[in-house]
Amino acid sequence: MTRVVITGMGAVTPLGSSVAEFVTGLRQQRVGFRPISTFDPSATGVSLAGEAADFDPLIRLRKKRFETNGPFLTVCCLFSPRSF
């Protein structure tokens, strides 16, 4: 039998940017998909997405670093150390 120890939890989802907000959204049966707001999706043929709109990377990262990296690399840099 393999044992697993959970040392912490985190969530950045369309329902909220914390575990508590995420669980509350699930219990209220909210839908996280909404019209795309971070870019013009007309060229993709897709109009709905599960964007984490409430997530503010500037809480943990300097503004210059965010502007240099862009949103996708910023999320990777912030959360990849937490996956270990």
Side-chain angles (χ1 to χ4, degrees):
M1 174 186 271
T2 302
R3 294 179 186 245
V4 175
V5 177
I6 299 173
T7 60
M9 291 175 48
V12 175
T13 75
L15 297 179
S17 293
S18 71
V19 174
E21 291 172 354
F22 174 65
V23 171
T24 299
L26 289 176
R27 287 184 177 151
Q28 294 174 350
Q29 299 180 352
R30 289 193 330 219
V31 176
F33 287 87
R34 46 184 86 105
I36 296 173
S37 63
T38 55
F39 64 92
D40 179 13
S42 59
T44 66
V46 177
S47 61
L48 298 175
E51 298 176 320
D54 295 340
F55 174 63
D56 183 8
L58 299 179
I59 291 173
R60 298 181 182 99
L61 196 63
R62 292 181 307 224
K63 185 176 182 179
K64 182 173 176 93
R65 182 98 184 242
F66 176 72
E67 291 170 351
T68 303
N69 291 342
F72 300 109
L73 185 57
T74 298
V75 170
C76 291
C77 291
L78 287 173
F79 295 107
S80 60
R82 295 177 183 206
S83 65
F84 294 101

